[in-house]
Short mmCIF file of all heavy atoms in Angstrom, two decimals:
data_model
loop_
_atom_site.label_atom_id
_atom_site.label_comp_id
_atom_site.label_asym_id
_atom_site.label_seq_id
_atom_site.Cartn_x
_atom_site.Cartn_y
_atom_site.Cartn_z
N SER A 31 9.76 -102.27 164.39
CA SER A 31 10.65 -101.35 165.07
C SER A 31 11.79 -102.10 165.77
O SER A 31 12.96 -101.69 165.70
CB SER A 31 9.86 -100.52 166.07
OG SER A 31 10.67 -99.56 166.68
N PHE A 32 11.48 -103.20 166.45
CA PHE A 32 12.53 -103.98 167.12
C PHE A 32 13.43 -104.69 166.12
O PHE A 32 14.62 -104.83 166.37
CB PHE A 32 11.92 -104.96 168.12
CG PHE A 32 11.62 -104.34 169.45
CD1 PHE A 32 10.32 -104.04 169.82
CD2 PHE A 32 12.65 -104.02 170.33
CE1 PHE A 32 10.05 -103.46 171.05
CE2 PHE A 32 12.39 -103.43 171.56
CZ PHE A 32 11.09 -103.14 171.91
N GLU A 33 12.88 -105.14 165.00
CA GLU A 33 13.71 -105.78 163.97
C GLU A 33 14.75 -104.80 163.44
O GLU A 33 15.90 -105.16 163.20
CB GLU A 33 12.84 -106.33 162.84
CG GLU A 33 12.11 -107.59 163.24
CD GLU A 33 11.04 -108.02 162.25
OE1 GLU A 33 10.67 -107.23 161.34
OE2 GLU A 33 10.54 -109.15 162.41
N ARG A 34 14.34 -103.54 163.26
CA ARG A 34 15.29 -102.51 162.79
C ARG A 34 16.41 -102.28 163.80
O ARG A 34 17.48 -101.80 163.45
CB ARG A 34 14.57 -101.19 162.53
CG ARG A 34 13.92 -101.16 161.17
CD ARG A 34 13.35 -99.79 160.84
NE ARG A 34 11.91 -99.98 160.71
CZ ARG A 34 10.99 -99.34 161.42
NH1 ARG A 34 11.31 -98.42 162.28
NH2 ARG A 34 9.72 -99.61 161.25
N ARG A 35 16.18 -102.62 165.06
CA ARG A 35 17.19 -102.46 166.11
C ARG A 35 18.01 -103.73 166.33
O ARG A 35 18.77 -103.83 167.28
CB ARG A 35 16.51 -102.06 167.42
CG ARG A 35 15.92 -100.67 167.34
CD ARG A 35 15.07 -100.37 168.55
NE ARG A 35 14.44 -99.07 168.41
CZ ARG A 35 14.66 -98.04 169.20
NH1 ARG A 35 15.49 -98.15 170.21
NH2 ARG A 35 14.05 -96.90 169.00
N GLY A 36 17.82 -104.71 165.46
CA GLY A 36 18.66 -105.90 165.51
C GLY A 36 18.08 -107.09 166.27
O GLY A 36 18.77 -108.09 166.47
N TYR A 37 16.83 -107.00 166.69
CA TYR A 37 16.20 -108.13 167.37
C TYR A 37 15.57 -109.08 166.35
O TYR A 37 15.14 -108.64 165.29
CB TYR A 37 15.07 -107.65 168.30
CG TYR A 37 15.52 -106.89 169.50
CD1 TYR A 37 15.76 -105.51 169.44
CD2 TYR A 37 15.68 -107.51 170.73
CE1 TYR A 37 16.15 -104.79 170.55
CE2 TYR A 37 16.08 -106.80 171.85
CZ TYR A 37 16.31 -105.44 171.75
OH TYR A 37 16.69 -104.73 172.85
N ARG A 38 15.51 -110.35 166.70
CA ARG A 38 14.67 -111.30 165.98
C ARG A 38 13.36 -111.30 166.75
O ARG A 38 13.36 -111.39 167.97
CB ARG A 38 15.29 -112.70 165.98
CG ARG A 38 16.51 -112.77 165.06
CD ARG A 38 17.10 -114.17 164.92
NE ARG A 38 16.11 -115.24 164.89
CZ ARG A 38 15.96 -116.16 165.86
NH1 ARG A 38 16.71 -116.15 166.93
NH2 ARG A 38 15.05 -117.10 165.76
N VAL A 39 12.24 -111.19 166.06
CA VAL A 39 10.96 -111.01 166.73
C VAL A 39 9.99 -112.13 166.41
O VAL A 39 9.81 -112.50 165.25
CB VAL A 39 10.32 -109.65 166.34
CG1 VAL A 39 8.98 -109.46 167.03
CG2 VAL A 39 11.26 -108.50 166.69
N LEU A 40 9.38 -112.66 167.47
CA LEU A 40 8.28 -113.60 167.35
C LEU A 40 7.03 -112.88 167.82
O LEU A 40 7.11 -112.02 168.71
CB LEU A 40 8.50 -114.82 168.25
CG LEU A 40 9.74 -115.65 167.98
CD1 LEU A 40 9.92 -116.69 169.10
CD2 LEU A 40 9.61 -116.35 166.64
N ARG A 41 5.88 -113.22 167.25
CA ARG A 41 4.64 -112.57 167.65
C ARG A 41 3.61 -113.60 168.09
O ARG A 41 3.52 -114.67 167.51
CB ARG A 41 4.08 -111.74 166.49
CG ARG A 41 4.95 -110.55 166.20
CD ARG A 41 4.60 -109.79 164.94
NE ARG A 41 3.19 -109.67 164.67
CZ ARG A 41 2.70 -109.28 163.51
NH1 ARG A 41 3.50 -108.99 162.52
NH2 ARG A 41 1.41 -109.20 163.32
N ALA A 42 2.85 -113.24 169.12
CA ALA A 42 1.77 -114.08 169.62
C ALA A 42 0.62 -113.17 170.00
O ALA A 42 0.83 -111.99 170.31
CB ALA A 42 2.23 -114.89 170.82
N ASP A 43 -0.60 -113.70 169.96
CA ASP A 43 -1.76 -112.87 170.32
C ASP A 43 -2.57 -113.44 171.48
O ASP A 43 -3.62 -112.91 171.81
CB ASP A 43 -2.65 -112.65 169.10
CG ASP A 43 -3.23 -113.94 168.55
OD1 ASP A 43 -2.96 -115.02 169.11
OD2 ASP A 43 -3.97 -113.86 167.54
N SER A 44 -2.09 -114.53 172.08
CA SER A 44 -2.82 -115.15 173.19
C SER A 44 -1.89 -116.07 173.97
O SER A 44 -0.78 -116.37 173.52
CB SER A 44 -3.99 -115.97 172.64
OG SER A 44 -3.48 -117.05 171.87
N LEU A 45 -2.36 -116.53 175.12
CA LEU A 45 -1.58 -117.48 175.91
C LEU A 45 -1.36 -118.76 175.12
O LEU A 45 -0.27 -119.35 175.16
CB LEU A 45 -2.29 -117.79 177.23
CG LEU A 45 -1.60 -118.81 178.14
CD1 LEU A 45 -0.19 -118.36 178.52
CD2 LEU A 45 -2.43 -119.06 179.39
N GLU A 46 -2.35 -119.18 174.36
CA GLU A 46 -2.23 -120.41 173.57
C GLU A 46 -1.12 -120.29 172.53
O GLU A 46 -0.34 -121.22 172.33
CB GLU A 46 -3.56 -120.74 172.87
CG GLU A 46 -4.67 -121.13 173.82
CD GLU A 46 -5.29 -119.93 174.56
OE1 GLU A 46 -5.25 -118.79 174.03
OE2 GLU A 46 -5.78 -120.13 175.69
N SER A 47 -1.03 -119.14 171.86
CA SER A 47 0.03 -118.98 170.85
C SER A 47 1.40 -118.86 171.52
O SER A 47 2.41 -119.29 170.96
CB SER A 47 -0.25 -117.80 169.91
OG SER A 47 -0.49 -116.63 170.62
N VAL A 48 1.45 -118.31 172.73
CA VAL A 48 2.71 -118.28 173.49
C VAL A 48 3.13 -119.71 173.81
O VAL A 48 4.29 -120.08 173.61
CB VAL A 48 2.56 -117.45 174.79
CG1 VAL A 48 3.75 -117.67 175.73
CG2 VAL A 48 2.40 -115.97 174.48
N GLU A 49 2.18 -120.52 174.28
CA GLU A 49 2.47 -121.93 174.59
C GLU A 49 3.00 -122.66 173.37
O GLU A 49 3.95 -123.44 173.47
CB GLU A 49 1.20 -122.63 175.11
CG GLU A 49 0.71 -122.14 176.44
CD GLU A 49 1.50 -122.68 177.62
OE1 GLU A 49 2.44 -123.46 177.43
OE2 GLU A 49 1.16 -122.29 178.74
N THR A 50 2.41 -122.40 172.21
CA THR A 50 2.84 -123.05 170.97
C THR A 50 4.29 -122.68 170.65
O THR A 50 5.10 -123.56 170.32
CB THR A 50 1.91 -122.65 169.80
OG1 THR A 50 0.58 -123.05 170.12
CG2 THR A 50 2.35 -123.29 168.50
N LEU A 51 4.63 -121.41 170.74
CA LEU A 51 6.00 -120.97 170.46
C LEU A 51 7.00 -121.60 171.43
O LEU A 51 8.08 -122.03 171.04
CB LEU A 51 6.10 -119.45 170.50
CG LEU A 51 5.43 -118.71 169.34
CD1 LEU A 51 5.37 -117.21 169.63
CD2 LEU A 51 6.16 -118.97 168.04
N LEU A 52 6.63 -121.65 172.71
CA LEU A 52 7.53 -122.24 173.70
C LEU A 52 7.69 -123.74 173.46
O LEU A 52 8.80 -124.29 173.60
CB LEU A 52 7.03 -121.97 175.12
CG LEU A 52 6.99 -120.51 175.55
CD1 LEU A 52 6.42 -120.37 176.95
CD2 LEU A 52 8.35 -119.85 175.45
N ALA A 53 6.61 -124.40 173.05
CA ALA A 53 6.67 -125.84 172.76
C ALA A 53 7.57 -126.12 171.55
O ALA A 53 8.17 -127.20 171.45
CB ALA A 53 5.27 -126.38 172.52
#
Side-chain angles (χ1 to χ4, degrees):
S31 184
F32 277 105
E33 285 169 348
R34 277 187 243 122
R35 292 171 184 243
Y37 291 85
R38 288 185 37 248
V39 179
L40 300 171
R41 291 171 38 194
D43 62 1
S44 65
L45 178 59
E46 293 76 26
S47 54
V48 168
E49 293 282 359
T50 301
L51 289 170
L52 296 178

